[in-house]
Amino acid sequence: MTETVAEILAAHRAGLMTPKETVARTFARIRAHNDPAVFISLRDETDALAEAEALAGKDAAALPLYGVPVAVKDNIDVAGLPTTAACPAFAYTPARDSTAVARLRAAGAIIIGKTNLDQFATGLVGVRSPYGIPKNPVRADLVPGGSSSGSAVAVSAGLVPLSLGTDTAGSGRVPAMLNNIVGLKPSLGMISTAGLVPACRTLDCISVFALTVDDAVAALAVMAAPDPVDPFSRDRPLATLTAFPRGVRLGIPRPGQLIFFGDKAAEAAYGAAAARFAKLGAELVEFDLEPFYETARLLYEGPWVAERYLVIRDLLASDPEAIHPVTREITIGGARGSAADTFAALYRLQALRKVAERTFAGVDALLLPTAPTAYTTAEVLADPILLNSRLGTYTNFVNLLDLCGLAVPAAIRGDGIPFGVTLLAPAGRDAALASLGRAFHADTALPVGAKSIPQPPLAAPSSSLHGDEIAIVVVGAHLSGMALNHELTSLGGRLLQATKTAADYKLYALSTTPPKPGMLRIEESKGSAMEVELWALSAASFGRFVDLVPPPLSIGTIRLADGRTAKGFLVEPAALDGARDISEFGGWRAYMAQKA
């Protein structure tokens, strides 16, 4: 089945499925799912199919999200689709994409539509919208989680493999837990917020929902870049994923500090998750959680509610009934604070940030429940503010303390309620969290989303491209440890993986100094599979590297055994007169070894 981003990309690149077919399947699934509360607006299907079909003429290997369908939370601008923030009276139609959406499109993604949310991104429950309440596909009586309700449900239900949410106080993490998916909350400023309707502008970030950590990181890699039009943008380069690191120290709260509101099943699931991390090799280190709780209280008891008020104060004045009553009740309090209150809160926050710095001096990351428990829609509607607040117990402090976070599934409880944990670390450690989370999620062997779909095998952690990197296949003297490998490493080249070509090639030993092979493409499946390496170079370095390639070698498109294609070394047929056919060795390294 092709459900994850990685599986869809592999199918597209191998020609097993076209982007147009994938997009058509997406719209068919949305119709079959038949929940009008998931999407507030959909693109015209004909337009989306035409955009997908236009990808056929582009280089699939050069587009990291080639033909991948994406849903976008309806407080993020998509050109030509209304941005409502779940408030019809607020709606406008933007002429241009938000920066994040523009970067997704440039990477080959196909935007499908705009998803439902708690109005003005105020809420963690997903029930505060005039467009309805998306049904939780894991357990129908549960709230879907908010504010990014529609985005999380769309991924969990298998409608799209990837979606954008936002996360100011947990809106990218709580829905991930309640829908048994991954929620990646990047470092503040890592993804541009240009084109995002603010909730709290100093704390907002665009987040990612996916079925696996690797899929979420693939989207983050495309969007993570400084943006001159966003004054809150920061240069936060995404590091490389690694295997589960040795000696990693995970902070767990001191005994008695965790709060589950009487939910014994959630408490047991957290204990089991901590034990799983220990089994994977982490050292569990106790820390004091109380300062983090105090920070969380600042978010809604302090002046940051005034930021929410700023966004909608004109609408509050002109048409207060247009705003959801719970959203209105929470937001209107932002008009009451004084400048003195604001500075007092800022001073206290700065002190709490210093406490957090000391905590992270002794641990690499914190391990916490994503949420302490789960509630039904009926329960939340009966007590909308208190129960919402409880869901934010472990999320509200994160952006105030400038942390990055990754929410991953940990268990499906005996009562069918999903439970998840969140890893937290100081800003800039996004890849480190992903390296931990991907190994943990794979170890759980949980199905992904709500459809009981098995997790795909965990790929080599370095096999994805970052930023503007381009993959290149090397065949001979540029292989690791070979005579010309320094030409790659001196340009910042990064080994992605050792792999094989499709069985479409012959390999010849050329008369060159230093010795090099020439790989020739022949009729499909009529040749041999060759051992090769896949390297990553930045776009600028790729250009410089290609300029160094001497004749009779050239750079062409090489088909790999798994169906992917990438640029790599080929030889001009005219240069092969008298050259020895060494295809029987299956690669240059084996040939050179027998000569030694």
Side-chain angles (χ1 to χ4, degrees):
M1 297 180 73
T2 50
E3 302 295 338
T4 67
V5 170
E7 290 166 336
I8 289 169
L9 285 171
H12 287 174
R13 289 167 176 166
L16 302 176
M17 189 164 63
T18 67
K20 185 177 180 181
E21 289 169 339
T22 296
V23 170
R25 183 185 73 167
T26 297
F27 279 96
R29 286 182 171 185
I30 292 169
R31 287 189 289 271
H33 187 66
N34 194 30
D35 182 353
V38 176
F39 285 89
I40 291 177
S41 62
L42 286 168
R43 284 186 67 189
D44 178 84
E45 185 174 357
T46 303
D47 290 346
L49 290 171
E51 185 178 328
E53 191 169 27
L55 286 174
K58 297 185 178 180
D59 183 355
L63 294 173
L65 296 176
Y66 180 75
V68 173
V70 177
V72 177
K73 185 176 179 178
D74 198 17
N75 59 346
I76 303 169
D77 286 350
V78 172
L81 290 180
T83 299
T84 71
C87 180
F90 177 83
Y92 63 91
T93 301
R96 64 177 63 188
D97 289 330
S98 61
T99 300
V101 167
R103 288 178 175 152
L104 290 174
R105 285 194 201 267
I110 307 294
I111 306 303
I112 298 299
K114 307 291 292 296
T115 54
N116 204 354
L117 65 150
D118 280 325
Q119 192 177 78
F120 293 109
T122 300
L124 292 171
V125 285
V127 304
R128 301 173 179 174
S129 170
Y131 295 98
I133 301 171
K135 186 174 290 186
N136 187 314
V138 178
R139 216 182 89 161
D141 60 330
L142 296 179
V143 293
S147 60
S148 310
S149 54
S151 288
V153 168
V155 171
S156 180
L159 310 182
V160 293
L162 196 65
S163 67
L164 296 188
T166 62
D167 193 313
T168 303
S171 295
R173 290 162 280 155
V174 170
M177 184 188 95
L178 293 172
N179 287 276
N180 189 42
I181 59 175
V182 170
L184 189 157
K185 191 218 79 69
S187 299
L188 288 174
M190 194 173 190
I191 299 175
S192 171
T193 54
L196 166 67
V197 177
C200 294
R201 197 174 179 201
T202 59
L203 303 178
D204 290 337
C205 70
I206 289 174
S207 64
V208 181
F209 293 111
L211 295 172
T212 68
V213 174
D214 286 0
D215 284 359
V217 171
L220 177 61
V222 164
M223 293 184 288
D227 183 4
V229 305
D230 175 13
F232 292 93
S233 175
R234 295 192 285 184
D235 190 2
R236 294 283 190 190
L238 181 62
T240 303
L241 300 188
T242 68
F244 196 93
R246 293 182 180 179
V248 66
R249 292 162 62 87
L250 288 184
I252 59 171
R254 293 173 181 171
Q257 288 193 323
L258 283 169
I259 300 169
F260 294 97
F261 300 103
D263 190 336
K264 296 297 184 182
E267 185 175 4
Y270 174 76
R276 186 180 298 278
F277 269 108
K279 185 193 74 173
L280 288 169
E283 178 186 356
L284 304 181
V285 179
E286 290 180 4
F287 76 99
D288 185 4
L289 185 58
E290 181 50 43
F292 294 84
Y293 284 145
E294 183 182 347
T295 307
R297 289 192 290 271
L298 283 177
L299 186 65
Y300 284 102
E301 296 173 12
W304 284 273
V305 179
E307 288 197 276
R308 296 184 184 269
Y309 171 73
L310 279 174
V311 177
I312 60 172
R313 62 179 173 181
D314 291 343
L315 190 57
L316 274 169
S318 64
D319 189 6
E321 296 304 314
I323 299 171
H324 191 283
V326 179
T327 306
R328 186 170 64 240
E329 180 181 347
I330 293 168
T331 306
I332 204 164
R336 303 187 190 113
S338 69
D341 294 334
T342 300
F343 280 106
L346 288 172
Y347 299 155
R348 185 57 190 151
L349 177 59
Q350 187 59 26
L352 290 165
R353 284 175 172 168
K354 291 298 181 183
V355 174
E357 286 177 15
R358 292 194 292 272
T359 299
F360 282 105
V363 298
D364 298 293
L366 305 183
L367 174 65
L368 292 173
T370 298
T373 187
Y375 294 111
T376 66
T377 299
E379 288 170 331
V380 169
L381 291 176
D383 195 350
I385 294 180
L386 175 63
L387 300 192
N388 181 93
S389 175
R390 287 181 176 181
L391 289 178
T393 300
Y394 303 111
T395 62
N396 286 346
F397 60 81
V398 171
N399 284 347
L400 285 168
L401 295 177
D402 199 11
L403 308 179
C404 55
L406 179 69
V408 290
I412 300 292
R413 299 164 23 169
D415 54 9
I417 295 176
F419 178 79
V421 292
T422 294
L423 294 158
L424 300 169
R429 298 188 190 175
D430 304 78
L433 293 188
S435 299
L436 295 170
R438 68 193 298 273
F440 172 86
H441 190 205
D443 194 66
T444 67
L446 286 169
V448 294
K451 298 293 187 181
S452 299
I453 297 165
Q455 286 190 50
L458 197 60
S462 60
S463 63
S464 56
L465 295 171
H466 299 155
D468 69 351
E469 286 182 333
I470 298 171
I472 185 164
V473 177
V474 297
V475 178
H478 288 95
L479 293 166
S480 302
M482 294 290 181
L484 297 181
N485 183 249
H486 66 90
E487 291 185 356
L488 280 170
T489 56
S490 65
L491 290 170
R494 184 168 63 86
L495 177 63
L496 295 176
Q497 63 183 129
T499 185
K500 287 186 175 184
T501 69
D504 304 346
Y505 298 92
K506 285 191 172 184
L507 196 66
Y508 296 85
L510 305 178
S511 298
T512 59
T513 304
K516 300 188 192 91
M519 190 166 73
L520 182 69
R521 176 83 180 265
I522 62 170
E523 189 177 348
E524 187 171 321
S525 301
K526 298 295 185 181
S528 301
M530 300 299 166
E531 299 279 353
V532 294
E533 288 179 351
L534 195 63
W535 284 71
L537 288 168
S538 70
S541 293
F542 181 85
R544 290 196 291 272
F545 181 74
V546 169
D547 194 48
L548 297 173
V549 176
L553 300 177
S554 62
I555 299 295
T557 300
I558 292 175
R559 195 162 74 97
L560 300 177
D562 61 6
R564 289 177 296 164
T565 59
K567 299 303 179 186
F569 283 90
L570 292 171
V571 69
E572 298 168 8
L576 298 179
D577 285 348
R580 179 185 171 187
D581 184 343
I582 58 170
S583 305
E584 63 186 289
F585 292 97
W588 183 245
R589 200 184 295 277
Y591 170 72
M592 292 296 285
Q594 65 84 33
K595 285 188 66 179

